[in-house]
Amino acid sequence: FPQDGMTFTIDSITLSPVAMKVDYTADEEVVWSGNESGRQSDEDAEQMARYMENVEILLTRTDGTVMDLSSSGGSISPEDGTTVCSKSQVFSEIIPMASISVGGVVFPIQAE
């Protein structure tokens, strides 16, 4: 999916009724400021938003309500001109799921 001038590829989605994990890759390598202070610089916060926070993840329950998981925790790793990202979240309850959407791409969930 295209976003913020980049193309993201969804590598994998792992779901259970109690957790989710989404792995994706951006076609540009993240560039950190190299700030040594231990505090996140404004430039690094912008990069974090581009690669993580701005990537929308929506989980639709079987009752039609939608959970916004976009702010789930995760990691960013520059790798050979790309950026490998992962977001995950453990739920506080069992969630009956109908679909998950990552960057606007919807994946229906079928019970096994």
Side-chain angles (χ1 to χ4, degrees), residues 22-42:
V22 176
D23 298 312
Y24 56 93
T25 303
D27 67 350
E28 290 182 18
E29 189 167 337
V30 65
V31 177
W32 300 116
S33 68
N35 185 0
E36 300 287 326
S37 72
R39 296 180 152 242
Q40 186 178 48
S41 68
D42 291 342

Side-chain angles (χ1 to χ4, degrees), residues 2 12-13 18 30 53 57 70 77 79 82-83 85 91 107-108 112:
S12 69
I13 299 172
V18 295
V30 65
E53 294 151 17
I57 299 176
S70 303
S77 178
E79 189 174 292
T82 65
T83 302
C85 306
F91 309 129
F107 299 90
E112 293 184 7

Side-chain angles (χ1 to χ4, degrees), residues 16-88:
S16 82
V18 295
M20 76 86 194
K21 181 178 181 207
V22 176
D23 298 312
Y24 56 93
T25 303
D27 67 350
E28 290 182 18
E29 189 167 337
V30 65
V31 177
W32 300 116
S33 68
N35 185 0
E36 300 287 326
S37 72
R39 296 180 152 242
Q40 186 178 48
S41 68
D42 291 342
E43 295 85 11
D44 288 350
E46 288 177 22
Q47 292 298 327
M48 190 67 123
R50 281 186 79 205
Y51 290 89
M52 291 290 288
E53 294 151 17
N54 293 350
V55 175
E56 183 179 72
I57 299 176
L58 302 175
L59 181 67
T60 303
R61 297 174 180 237
T62 54
D63 69 2
T65 59
V66 177
M67 296 174 61
D68 187 346
L69 305 175
S70 303
S71 62
S72 297
S75 64
I76 299 175
S77 178
E79 189 174 292
D80 298 324
T82 65
T83 302
V84 177
C85 306
S86 181
K87 284 184 166 184
S88 62

